[in-house]
């Protein structure tokens, strides 16, 4: 009796980002997003309250250390307001990138047994963290009321700036997840890398403080080099449109947009190229 051979091929669609295939597996994506949310708070006494505790305590520590002790200037706004606004988005980026990087390694049993578009794993990790971000944004409302922050027309730029943050996070997450399944060192180095990136970004200090420290003759060149870190333009942009620290630096945001888009394109292409070997190395 002749044995039947089953060949699994990718479904027809774009070679870059296959939305058609992703739509076919939308139930799996939805399942992974819900599972990611439940897994984080399972067997936790405080549960989802951790989404409140983490940014509040982090802001408290930053306010004491950098606002009171170090006396860092914050473009004319109270340090607590400055820090809380930034910490909410940094916490999302930190958590989403960490989960996306580990998503392939954690789900190696699925990868080695059944076919599905592998991209749903880092994508679900980044999307599931949106719940924590939403809670953080709700916490900002009473803070804005306390500090009498006015909502202006600049706030309409918020979705665009957040889209840049999302593209940068998922793009970098796909690159690191594809590397992490081959090299476990990536997982261990990620915490250290994120700490370096936080201090290389205007999280605890404003962009203007960094530029003031640079000698005048190097300031122009340094601005372009510093802006290659997309989190610089993204965080400065978010503070500008939300708490009006300084007028929106369009050139800095444009540079962040270009780099974020490039990271996203490189991430998708690298992930697509690497995904055929995931089952062999998992």
């Amino acid at each position: 009796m002749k044995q039947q051979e089953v060949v699994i091929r990718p479904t027809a669609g774009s070679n870059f980002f296959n939305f058609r295939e992703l739509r076919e597996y939308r139930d799996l994506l939805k399942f992974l997003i819900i599972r990611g949310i439940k897994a984080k708070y399972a067997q936790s006494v405080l549960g989802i309250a951790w989404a409140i505790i983490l940014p509040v305590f982090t802001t408290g520590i930053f306010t004491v250390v950098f606002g009171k002790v170090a006396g860092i200037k914050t473009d004319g706004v109270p340090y607590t307001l400055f820090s809380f606004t930034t910490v909410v988005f940094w916490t999302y980026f930190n958590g989403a990138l960490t989960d996306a990087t580990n998503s392939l390694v954690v789900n190696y049993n699925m990868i080695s047994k059944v076919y599905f578009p592998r991209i749903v794993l880092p994508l679900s990790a980044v999307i599931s963290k949106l719940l924590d971000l939403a809670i953080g944004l709700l916490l900002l409302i009473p803070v804005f009321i306390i500090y009498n922050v006015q909502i202006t027309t600049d706030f309409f730029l918020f979705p665009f700036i957040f889209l840049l943050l999302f593209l940068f996070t998922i793009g970098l997450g796909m690159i690191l997840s594809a590397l992490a399944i081959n090299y476990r060192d990536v997982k261990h180095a990620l915490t250290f890398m994120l700490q370096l990136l936080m201090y290389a970004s205007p999280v605890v200090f404003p962009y203007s403080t960094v530029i003031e420290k640079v000698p005048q003759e190097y300031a122009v060149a340094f601005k372009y080099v510093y802006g290659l870190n997309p989190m610089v333009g993204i965080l400065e942009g978010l503070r500008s449109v939300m708490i009006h620290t300084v007028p929106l630096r369009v050139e800095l945001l444009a540079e962040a947009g270009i780099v974020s888009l490039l990271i996203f394109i490189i991430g998708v292409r690298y992930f697509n190229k690497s995904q055929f070997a995931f089952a062999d190395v998992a």
Side-chain angles (χ1 to χ4, degrees):
M1 182 177 177
K2 187 178 180 180
Q3 291 185 335
Q4 290 185 337
E5 182 179 359
V6 178
V7 179
I8 300 176
R9 299 181 186 281
T11 58
S14 168
N15 290 327
F16 177 66
F17 201 97
N18 197 335
F19 286 102
R20 177 182 172 185
E21 188 180 49
L22 199 59
R23 187 171 64 249
E24 292 174 356
Y25 284 86
R26 60 184 179 279
D27 289 338
L28 175 62
L29 178 62
K30 181 180 178 183
F31 167 78
L32 291 172
I33 292 170
I34 296 174
R35 191 189 69 171
I37 294 172
K38 289 182 176 178
K40 179 178 179 180
Y41 300 111
Q43 297 181 328
S44 171
V45 176
L46 297 179
I48 205 166
W50 283 111
I52 300 173
I53 295 171
L54 185 60
V56 169
F57 273 75
T58 303
T59 300
I61 294 170
F62 283 174
T63 300
V64 172
V65 176
F66 298 103
K68 302 295 183 183
V69 178
I72 290 178
K73 298 177 182 177
T74 51
D75 292 331
V77 300
Y79 193 90
T80 302
L81 175 63
F82 173 93
S83 179
F84 201 5
T85 306
T86 311
V87 164
V88 167
F89 293 100
W90 179 262
T91 302
Y92 166 74
F93 171 73
N94 191 323
L97 185 62
T98 300
D99 286 0
T101 300
N102 297 328
S103 60
L104 296 180
V105 176
V106 171
N107 294 285
Y108 69 92
N109 282 331
M110 288 177 60
I111 295 173
S112 59
K113 291 177 181 176
V114 295
Y115 173 78
F116 61 93
R118 306 322 195 199
I119 200 170
V120 300
L121 293 174
L123 187 59
S124 64
V126 174
I127 294 176
S128 66
K129 287 295 179 185
L130 290 176
L131 176 63
D132 290 356
L133 177 63
I135 294 172
L137 292 176
L138 288 175
L139 290 175
L140 278 176
I141 294 175
V143 176
F144 281 10
I145 293 174
I146 292 171
Y147 288 102
N148 194 27
V149 176
Q150 303 294 322
I151 302 299
T152 67
T153 53
D154 287 347
F155 190 78
F156 290 106
L157 291 172
F158 170 80
F160 169 71
I161 301 174
F162 178 72
L163 177 62
L164 299 184
L165 175 61
F166 187 84
L167 289 178
F168 177 55
T169 306
I170 186 62
L172 189 57
M174 285 190 285
I175 295 172
L176 294 178
S177 63
L179 288 172
I181 200 167
N182 286 286
Y183 310 101
R184 298 299 195 269
D185 310 72
V186 175
K187 176 183 175 182
H188 300 297
L190 183 61
T191 303
F192 175 68
M193 188 187 78
L194 280 168
Q195 286 183 339
L196 283 179
L197 186 60
M198 187 187 80
Y199 288 107
S201 306
V203 176
V204 297
F205 45 77
Y207 172 81
S208 57
T209 298
V210 179
I211 299 302
E212 287 174 2
K213 304 294 182 184
V214 180
Q216 190 68 31
E217 59 268 31
Y218 302 121
V220 175
F222 180 81
K223 287 179 182 177
Y224 287 107
V225 174
Y226 190 40
L228 290 176
N229 172 6
M231 294 304 290
V232 174
I234 290 171
L235 294 178
E236 275 291 305
L238 287 168
R239 284 196 294 253
S240 292
V241 301
M242 295 181 74
I243 58 175
H244 323 301
T245 47
V246 292
L248 184 65
R249 293 183 170 94
V250 178
E251 71 286 353
L252 193 62
L253 187 60
E255 190 175 3
I258 293 170
V259 177
S260 297
L261 189 58
L262 282 175
I263 294 291
F264 176 72
I265 293 172
I266 293 171
V268 173
R269 289 195 176 280
Y270 180 69
F271 193 92
N272 287 343
K273 184 179 179 181
S274 306
Q275 65 178 332
F276 301 106
F278 288 165
D280 298 326
V281 298

